[in-house]
Structure formats: C-alpha cells, structure tokens
Amino acid sequence: MDYNPDTFLADEKSARNTRTDCPLTISKVRGLPESPEYGDVADGIFQTRLPWLTMPATPKNKKKKLYLHTPMHKLLLSVLILLGVSVNAQQADTLLPLVPQPVNVKRMAGTFPLRDNMPVVAPPGVKSSDAVLFIAFVESFYGIHLKLVNKHNGAGAIRISYDLEEDKTKPADYYELKVSATEIKITGKGSGVFYGLQTLIQLIPAGIVNEYNIPCVSISDYPRFAWRGMHLDVSRHFFKKEEVKKYIDFLAMYKLNVFHWHLTDDQGWRIEIKSRPKLTEKAAWRSGTLIGHYTASPQKYDTTRYGGFYTQDEVREIIAYAQQRHITVVPEIELPGHSLATLSAYPELGCTPGPFEAAKTWGVFNDVLCPKEETFKFLEDVFKEVCALFPGQYIHIGGDECPKDRWKESALCQEIKKRENLKDEHELQSWFIRRVEKIVAANNKQIIGWDEILEGGLAPGAAVMSWRGDEGGIAAAREKHNVVMSPTSNFYFDYYQSESHEEPLAIGGYLPLEKVYGYNPLPAALKPEEQQYIMGVQANLWTEYIGDFRKVEYMALPRMAALAEVAWSQQQARNYERFVARLTTHLLIHDRMGTNYSKAIFYIEPQILPPQPGKPGVRLLLNTRSKGAIIRYSVTDVFNENSPPLEDTLNIMRPVSLSAAAYEGQMRRSPIYRQSFQMTYSTGKPVTLATPPDAKYNNGGGFTLVNGVVGRLPWNGAEWLGYKDNNLEAVIDLGKTSSFNRVRVDVLKDEGSWIYQPKSIEVLTSNDGITFTSVKKIGSEEIQKYVRMVMVNTGMNFGRYVKVIVETAGTIPAGKPGEGNPAWLFVDEIFIE
Ligand code: TNX
C-alpha cells in the first residue's frame, strides 16, 4: 500500500462518508511533523520502531550502515529528504532536532558528510576525554569509526579546540559549533566543548538514512542556569552501577550537570561506610516490599529479601564517570527523618529502644533520628567518608518529612529544647540541621536540604531545594540563600505523564510533558537582585513504583528533555509546539539507542468541552500528534481497525462508554483511550466558582465538575480540582427550574498525599441565582461513610440554581501525614439527579 500520509487520509475521508448511522459526530485529526511509529503493547508500555526499519533491541547497534531495502523505501526516503529540505529552508531552527534549544542557531546551505576514518583533531592530554567520548558514542550508535589525532592538515576533519578558555567576554560553559561542507569546528570554555559535541551528536541524522550528512550550521550557545539537575532515588528501588551510568548518559545528552543521588531512605541504605559496617550488612536490606499501590486495601507484600549497595570503589567509579561527562554528583544522606533503615542497623540512634526494621512500604514514618550525642558522632563518621568521596561543593542532607512525634515524647529532646531555648520541635529540627551543617562544614562542604530546613530558621550556609512549590525557594532567596527549584507541580517525574488507562502504575499526580516545559524558574515574586540566588532547576525521580531500569527510562524520558530546555535555553526562546516539533525528530536517537521512553505525546489527546449553546451533554474532541494516523472510535463493545473514523467533535448526549485509538491502516499507533461519560441534570451546565481552585490543580476550572467524567485512581490530577485555602463553592445553573432529589459529590481521600475528605457538604437552591435556601448539610461523620462518591439526599427539591459548598478539612491533625499543614480537598464531579 502507498504510504503517503496525504493520500492515505484522502482515502479514509471517502471511506468515512459511508457511515451515517453513528449517534455521535466527528473531528479532524491534527498531525505534527516526524513522529516515530508504534509497535505492540508490552507491559502497558508501547515499543517504538524507526519508521520502516526494525532496529535490534540491543543498545549497541554495531551495524555499519542502515540500508533501505526496497525501491519503495528508497522512493519514500527521497520524498522525505525533499520535504525535510524544503521545510528546513523556511523553519531552520525548528526542524534541527536540537534539545535543549541553543541560544543562537544559523542554518546554512549544504551538509558535511560524516564518514568512516575521519579525523577528530583534539589537543593531547586530559582534555581529549571529550573527543574520546564523542568518538565512542558515534561508534556505538551509528557504527561510524572516527580517529582521534593531534594534528591534521586539510579538509574533512572535526576540529576541537579550547582556545576560548581565557575569554572573559564569554559566559560560563560557552561554545561555538561551526559545520561547513568541508569541516566541523568546535571551540569553547569550561564544559562548553563537551556541550558542543552533544549538540553535534544531535545533528547527526538518527532516523532512516543511508548516509550521515550533517547540516551546515553556525551555533553559539551557553546555559541559562548553573544547576541543571536530575535526581534518582536508589533506596526505594536499587539500580545497578551500569544502570546508574546509563542514567548519567541521559543527563549528559541533555547538558544537565548535576546528578543528585538519593542514597539513603527508610527502605534501604545504599552506600558503603567503612567505619559503620552495619549500614551495608543490615540497613541495605529489607525483608519484603509492598505490591501494588499504597492506597490499595488490603495492602499486599512480597516476602523477598530486597536490597543492595555501592561499595566505595563503585561510588568512585560513578563519580569519575559523571565527571568525564561534566556532571557533579551530589550525594544525599537523609536525616533526621526517612531514617528507618539507619535505625534498623543502629537502633541506639532512635528516641525509643526499637527494634526497627527497614521499611517494606512507602510513606512517612514516625521513627526518626534522635538528636543524641551518639547520633552526631554517627553523622560525623558518615560525613567524613562521604565528603572525602564526593568532590562537589554540596552535600544533600535531606531534612524533609520528619514527624515530630518521637521528639515530643522524648525526655532528652525536651531537655535539649529547654537548654537551647528552643520554642518547639521545628526549632529543634533547625538546631539539628545547624549541627549537621557544622559537621559538613568541618569537611569543607556546604549543605543543601529540602525546603523543610527553612522551618525553625535556616542554617547559615545552607542552600535550599524547593519541592513543595516555589514558596520555600522564594523565602530562601529573600534570605540570600542559594536555591534550586524542584517543585512537585512541574518536576516530579514519578507522577503520571498521560491520562491513558494503559499507563503503568505510578504514585499519583499528573505531570504531562507540557507542564514540565512550562515552568519558569524565576518567580515574578522575586526582585531581580533576589533572583540571582536561584541556581537553577532539578527534576526528581522517586522510585517507590519504579522497580526496574526500563521503567526509569520510561518515567524520565522525554520529560528530562523538557527539563533540560527549562534549565538551559533562554526564556524568550521557549515555545512548546516548536519544542515538540524538534523533539519528535530528536527521539529517533532514543530509538537507535533502544531507550524505553514514553510515547505519551503521540497518544490521543482528549478535550472535553461544554456543549454547543442550547444542546445537552458535552462535546469531545480527540487529537493525535501521530502523523498520518486517523482516530477511530466506538461506543459499542466492539472496537477495532474497522470502527468508524472520527472527523469532528463528538456530541455526547447520553451515557456512553467510548473507545478510541489512532490507526495507520490496520496498525494501531496509540493505546486505546477508554472513557465513560455519565449524564445527569448538571452535566455540561454552566458552573460559577466563588474562588478558583489552587493554581496547581485548576484542571479546567468549574466545567470539570460537570463534564460527565469521574477522575480515576490512582489519581492523576487531570480530572481533579484542588482546594487548600478556600472551600469549594460552586453554583450550577440548570437552565430552568428543575426537580432533583439527590446530589452526589465525588471527593478524593489520599491522606498520604495530604488529601482529606471534606468537613461538610451543603446543598442550597435558588430560582434567581441570588438568594439561596439551604436544603441539606451533612457533616464529616456522614461523609466518612463513603469511600469516594458522597451522597447528599436532599429529598424532592426544585430550583434553577444549585449551590454546593464543600468545606475543606482544615489543618491536618497531629499524627496524620502532613500534620499542621492545610489539608487538600480534591473534587472531580458534582452530579445532580
Ligand atoms: C516526597 S520530595 C518525598 C519523597 C517521596 C516523594 C514521592 C521529598 C523531599 N520527599 O520521600 O518519595 O514525595 O513523590
């Protein structure tokens, strides 16, 4: 069959017209340039193939060249090249598959042919390491063999020099890359040359080619922020040395320069400390692990002994590996909370006698380090070895999520409070962190900690990693402390990245690529002179639900590419649609490398919209970025490649269960999007909110409450409106005076994530929308009877306007996760029946 996407679509359009009996109407399919293809579903994760070529799954593709095997393929290739060239001429920077986008890019006519045995000319000595890594990458993934030389006269060479090293007029880590038809020149300062080589790698065609011709360009480039970090939690799940190196390779590709290695937590201690051997004999192991999600009831566990650790030699090896890639490794030793594993080996460091066991489940635990002298002696021993191993300036000391229960009950803690004149346990935590800072400073390092270290006063030289939003970062910058922005809302890569039902299990939350991309690290709330304290950004990969490295790749990529652009590229150069256009071509490198990245950007993107004026129900718009694919759908039990194509918006006017997917011919190119729609009096009706939801969880505003769709579990954010400082107060206009006898409000309960059921729900009615009469109010005792959907039986009532007030739980009580903080209220739907 002819593969030309345009003729393919045209054919389908005529085929569509044969179906006239469907109850729902249809939408146009949007496509973006150059998308990889999909294969079959495996473990809920889609496998990609290069278009028209099956690549070996092994990361090292030693094949010398990728030949196109049929005349049809060759014809297609020439069409593609022609297309590519003509588009390049108009939109040069967009279609160069560079991520992150460089500061200045000029595309010029012509190409440089990259061929076997070409010389890479680099100065001798340590610096040649950049060239060596470049040569190895090209050999591994492109099968092209390049030669490292110190001298070469004549054309056809890649020339590397470091002569901008002393140029004070250029920003830190600046580089220039010039590709002409006869040679490639890279020069830079600091890590610039290495970054220039990463850019060069991204310019080598990664897809279907039989010759590796690099487009002629002139690029000058440098990073926006100095801290461009990625974190990896190796405690909840352990990753082998080789896997950690592979992770570091991804950072290097994206010009990220900090690897935050989360080495200790409740579930396992992962670094050898010679003076404290029990840490690796005992604390590195747990006797089982939670199966499935934390919120499942009853919880299930396996009984497999699980663990592992890195010896100091392995740690040195990883540090050196990262250093060659211009990456600093920042180790994290968690304290005083998240320390159950430590206590399992050294119970004498707790406030109670124990015994303690490394945790088998996730969350926050009450047993924490006690501020005893022997605890500080322990920390002296640990940091002495840790500081000697890691060459970077910063040591991460955790500091987050430390419940104060044990400290409140401990006579010793109360004595210290009195002696040191500390007002509460937060000040005691702050006192603890100050002592740790002194220990770390004695080893010539500085501490960085999670934003809780602000509570009770910051230690003098401490830097802050702001994770619970931007607020911690803002406060610390105002106090002239260095800050790394790492908010859950944009940088928690353990959250879901699509709304597909086939997404593998994740902790919860919803963080699609666009949201990562949209972050601006410099909050408007900060004055320019305060903004200078923002060192940069970091994304975190917590691994409670990430048991193997394939899933690490899946969760981290391509979100890491979006992070890189936030960290590196100039704010004014950032544009999501252009980023995605570059990314779709860039991802061919990962196909070549065998990376298991998420294909979420090619999935069906649903948009539920209010109905057309005067019409009931809601409208559904489905899109895909999968070029050449059409969307088919069904509202019956049968869904397959013969289901009708979708041309326009669907008007959903009755309860349906809908299935849809992107198809190219017979081949499904996306997971199946399944969605049930419920229809009640409130569905699709205008909603007015007294106060908007919290900006972090304003997922479509009031309309989301009546879009006919209930949020799913584990919750992924997209469907839920979040309130924290205000109650939810919604007025739904039913359009005419209507009778109803119950209101159902769907609320989420996930106390581990600080999301609590409401204190009360009240229903009021009105005929003019101004004066409301209360018809029913229920309190928490009644609400607690329901797991999710709370029923308010109002009895027969009439009214055109229905007001529903859902009261947040207020301050989280002691002994509960998040105690002392405002509880979140999450509501996704209000049904009036
Ligand atoms: C909060 S972020 C944590 C981690 C969890 C993570 C899960 C932080 C400082 N603490 O212990 O793994 O949430 O998203």
Side-chain angles (χ1 to χ4, degrees):
M1 186 179 42
D2 194 326
Y3 199 85
N4 183 323
D6 288 326
T7 40
F8 188 65
L9 264 180
D11 285 354
E12 288 304 321
K13 272 180 205 141
S14 45
R16 264 172 210 149
N17 298 332
T18 56
R19 263 301 284 240
T20 48
D21 57 338
C22 53
L24 317 152
T25 40
I26 319 190
S27 90
K28 269 183 218 97
V29 177
R30 245 203 271 135
L32 279 169
E34 308 271 33
S35 64
E37 292 199 337
Y38 297 101
D40 298 319
V41 185
D43 304 329
I45 295 172
F46 269 69
Q47 305 297 315
T48 337
R49 279 174 282 113
L50 282 173
W52 311 288
L53 276 174
T54 310
M55 299 287 292
T58 51
K60 300 237 160 181
N61 173 33
K62 280 280 174 190
K63 258 205 263 162
K64 279 278 158 190
K65 269 190 184 125
L66 305 170
Y67 289 105
L68 294 163
H69 25 278
T70 68
M72 174 55 79
H73 286 138
K74 285 194 182 137
L75 176 75
L76 275 171
L77 174 68
S78 14
V79 170
L80 268 182
I81 289 173
L82 274 173
L83 273 176
V85 169
S86 65
V87 181
N88 267 349
Q90 298 159 11
Q91 268 197 332
D93 66 320
T94 316
L95 281 196
L96 288 174
L98 299 177
V99 182
Q101 172 71 9
V103 178
N104 294 299
V105 186
K106 218 162 95 204
R107 170 79 163 97
M108 285 157 331
T111 56
F112 175 92
L114 191 66
R115 300 288 181 266
D116 260 336
N117 294 316
M118 276 187 160
V120 176
V121 193
V126 254
K127 290 260 162 93
S128 69
S129 141
D130 294 337
V132 169
L133 290 176
F134 169 74
I135 291 169
F137 189 94
V138 173
E139 175 104 44
S140 294
F141 297 113
Y142 294 82
I144 305 172
H145 174 73
L146 304 172
K147 294 181 305 202
L148 179 65
V149 298
N150 298 145
K151 263 206 185 85
H152 175 82
N153 296 323
I158 299 170
R159 296 181 182 280
I160 295 175
S161 77
Y162 293 82
D163 41 54
L164 293 178
E165 207 61 81
E166 306 303 327
D167 189 339
K168 300 266 187 315
T169 66
K170 300 283 187 283
D173 298 332
Y174 173 89
Y175 73 89
E176 285 169 9
L177 164 64
K178 292 206 164 77
V179 180
S180 77
T182 50
E183 67 173 5
I184 296 178
K185 273 186 171 169
I186 295 177
T187 183
K189 64 187 277 194
S191 300
V193 167
F194 179 79
Y195 297 141
L197 287 164
Q198 299 313 307
T199 302
L200 179 57
I201 285 173
Q202 295 188 353
L203 286 173
I204 307 172
I208 11 121
V209 286
N210 52 9
E211 285 191 332
Y212 294 101
N213 296 326
I214 299 177
C216 291
V217 288
S218 173
I219 292 177
S220 60
D221 196 14
Y222 54 89
R224 182 175 177 208
F225 290 102
W227 186 298
R228 303 181 301 278
M230 261 315 297
H231 147 292
L232 179 66
D233 166 10
V234 295
S235 171
R236 275 57 179 271
H237 283 100
F238 179 70
F239 300 97
K240 294 195 287 274
K241 185 180 74 182
E242 286 67 32
E243 295 170 329
V244 174
K245 286 184 179 173
K246 200 165 171 201
Y247 194 73
I248 289 172
D249 287 342
F250 293 135
L251 270 68
M253 261 180 101
Y254 292 113
K255 306 182 174 89
L256 299 173
N257 65 347
V258 177
F259 171 47
H260 174 167
W261 203 5
H262 184 79
L263 285 163
T264 75
D265 215 300
D266 299 299
Q267 296 79 3
W269 181 283
R270 306 276 176 241
I271 175 172
E272 177 189 30
I273 300 295
K274 295 197 194 280
S275 59
R276 296 285 178 158
K278 281 193 274 180
L279 287 172
T280 40
E281 283 159 23
K282 188 146 195 333
W285 307 94
R286 61 176 181 254
S287 59
T289 304
L290 180 78
I291 300 171
H293 200 263
Y294 178 83
T295 49
S297 145
Q299 289 187 335
K300 276 192 283 181
Y301 292 85
D302 68 36
T303 52
T304 316
R305 180 175 139 94
Y306 183 95
F309 63 91
Y310 309 96
T311 64
Q312 293 200 355
D313 280 343
E314 288 172 325
V315 168
R316 272 186 218 103
E317 191 181 322
I318 284 170
I319 292 169
Y321 188 89
Q323 223 161 21
Q324 279 174 342
R325 285 153 186 81
H326 299 259
I327 292 168
T328 305
V329 185
V330 173
E332 179 177 351
I333 305 295
E334 264 274 13
L335 56 89
H338 286 294
S339 295
L340 255 187
T342 314
L343 293 177
S344 75
Y346 296 97
E348 62 274 21
L349 308 184
C351 287
T352 56
F356 307 103
E357 225 198 307
K360 298 194 280 189
T361 183
W362 323 124
V364 175
F365 300 88
N366 285 341
D367 288 308
V368 301
L369 297 180
C370 208
K372 296 173 174 173
E373 284 314 305
E374 54 197 305
T375 300
F376 295 112
K377 175 73 182 73
F378 168 85
L379 293 172
E380 267 166 29
D381 293 348
V382 168
F383 283 115
K384 189 167 168 213
E385 294 185 36
V386 168
C387 294
L389 279 167
F390 290 87
Q393 171 195 5
Y394 283 107
I395 302 288
H396 204 298
I397 52 83
D400 62 309
E401 298 180 326
C402 178
K404 308 293 184 304
D405 307 52
R406 296 291 177 266
W407 291 2
K408 283 182 189 155
E409 292 152 10
S410 138
L412 172 75
C413 292
Q414 297 315 311
E415 232 174 84
I416 298 174
K417 263 171 63 184
K418 213 188 259 154
R419 187 186 77 212
E420 302 292 333
N421 203 13
L422 305 170
K423 136 169 140 262
D424 57 16
E425 278 65 27
H426 291 297
E427 290 199 354
L428 180 55
Q429 151 128 352
S430 167
W431 178 82
F432 193 121
I433 302 287
R434 280 167 208 263
R435 289 213 42 183
V436 173
E437 188 194 32
K438 288 206 185 87
I439 296 172
V440 171
N443 290 287
N444 299 315
K445 303 280 184 191
Q446 260 174 289
I447 63 164
I448 182 162
W450 301 110
D451 54 48
E452 284 94 331
I453 66 169
L454 277 154
E455 293 163 7
L458 259 186
V464 170
M465 203 168 257
S466 192
W467 73 280
R468 297 174 299 174
D470 288 349
E471 296 81 3
I474 292 172
R478 285 189 177 139
E479 292 178 36
K480 300 190 183 351
H481 284 257
N482 284 337
V483 169
V484 175
M485 288 298 202
S486 191
T488 52
S489 52
N490 301 73
F491 293 140
Y492 268 44
F493 289 2
D494 52 341
Y495 290 6
Y496 285 101
Q497 52 197 320
S498 88
E499 295 183 68
S500 166
H501 294 261
E502 293 176 35
E503 248 350 302
L505 182 69
I507 193 165
Y510 181 50
L511 181 53
L513 192 67
E514 189 167 3
K515 191 118 187 250
V516 180
Y517 192 82
Y519 186 72
N520 183 357
L522 299 180
L526 286 179
K527 300 191 194 102
E529 63 272 25
E530 293 163 341
Q531 288 184 346
Q532 62 174 319
Y533 294 100
I534 311 284
M535 295 193 284
V537 289
Q538 178 176 300
N540 299 329
L541 194 58
W542 301 100
T543 58
E544 287 95 332
Y545 299 92
I546 304 178
D548 63 68
F549 195 72
R550 296 286 287 168
K551 199 164 171 187
V552 166
E553 295 182 354
Y554 180 81
M555 298 304 278
L557 292 156
R559 289 189 285 197
M560 197 190 282
L563 165 79
E565 200 145 313
V566 173
W568 180 283
S569 305
Q570 300 296 305
Q571 183 72 16
Q572 69 276 12
R574 280 173 42 204
N575 172 300
Y576 182 68
E577 288 303 326
R578 290 161 82 88
F579 165 71
V580 172
R582 280 180 278 120
L583 182 72
T584 47
T585 310
H586 159 79
L587 285 173
L588 294 172
I589 290 193
H590 286 294
D591 291 325
R592 201 170 263 275
M593 294 168 73
T595 312
N596 184 38
Y597 63 89
S598 159
K599 319 299 184 289
I601 50 169
F602 303 111
Y603 293 0
I604 286 188
E605 291 172 11
Q607 265 178 288
I608 305 171
L609 306 167
Q612 264 144 6
K615 291 248 172 83
V618 295
R619 283 180 304 147
L620 175 67
L621 184 66
L622 300 177
N623 279 308
T624 174
R625 290 176 189 271
S626 208
K627 201 193 173 198
I630 58 162
I631 293 174
R632 294 179 180 279
Y633 78 100
S634 163
V635 289
T636 67
D637 290 348
V638 184
F639 174 64
N640 57 36
E641 66 280 7
N642 301 317
S643 295
L646 186 62
E647 270 186 335
D648 215 320
T649 321
L650 284 165
N651 292 316
I652 298 186
M653 296 182 280
R654 58 179 171 82
V656 285
S657 288
L658 177 128
S659 307
Y663 277 92
E664 278 177 55
Q666 303 289 298
M667 293 293 283
R668 180 153 67 82
R669 297 300 190 208
S670 77
I672 300 174
Y673 164 75
R674 290 183 210 280
Q675 187 62 65
S676 295
F677 290 85
Q678 302 189 32
M679 292 287 138
T680 68
Y681 297 145
S682 49
T683 311
K685 296 288 164 26
V687 179
T688 317
L689 297 173
T691 46
D694 190 279
K696 274 195 241 159
Y697 300 105
N698 184 357
N699 292 306
F703 175 68
T704 298
L705 296 174
V706 293
N707 66 3
V709 163
V710 292
R712 65 183 71 104
L713 287 177
W715 63 279
N716 76 358
E719 271 296 322
W720 301 88
L721 301 190
Y723 280 86
K724 184 172 60 152
D725 305 317
N726 298 296
N727 296 333
L728 182 155
E729 187 177 321
V731 175
I732 301 165
D733 177 3
L734 300 177
K736 56 176 193 285
T737 303
S738 315
S739 64
F740 62 91
N741 56 33
R742 67 172 187 183
V743 173
R744 285 186 294 142
V745 182
D746 199 29
V747 297
L748 186 65
K749 178 180 170 184
D750 181 0
E751 297 186 350
S753 304
W754 306 9
I755 302 167
Y756 286 78
Q757 285 183 310
K759 209 183 271 173
S760 69
I761 300 179
E762 185 176 9
V763 176
L764 308 91
T765 58
S766 161
N767 280 324
D768 56 8
I770 301 163
T771 327
F772 282 87
T773 321
S774 179
V775 296
K776 181 89 179 194
K777 182 170 181 179
I778 60 169
S780 63
E781 214 169 291
E782 173 75 13
I783 291 168
Q784 278 164 23
K785 290 185 195 152
Y786 299 96
V787 176
R788 246 187 88 165
M789 191 79 75
V790 181
M791 198 101 75
V792 188
N793 284 308
T794 54
M796 188 59 86
N797 261 287
F798 298 90
R800 170 172 169 177
Y801 299 92
V802 179
K803 185 190 277 194
V804 181
I805 303 174
V806 191
E807 192 188 357
T808 60
T811 304
I812 301 174
K816 295 263 196 178
E819 70 167 90
N821 291 286
W824 281 99
L825 168 71
F826 269 47
V827 182
D828 71 321
E829 200 70 14
I830 297 176
F831 291 117
I832 301 177
E833 292 158 313

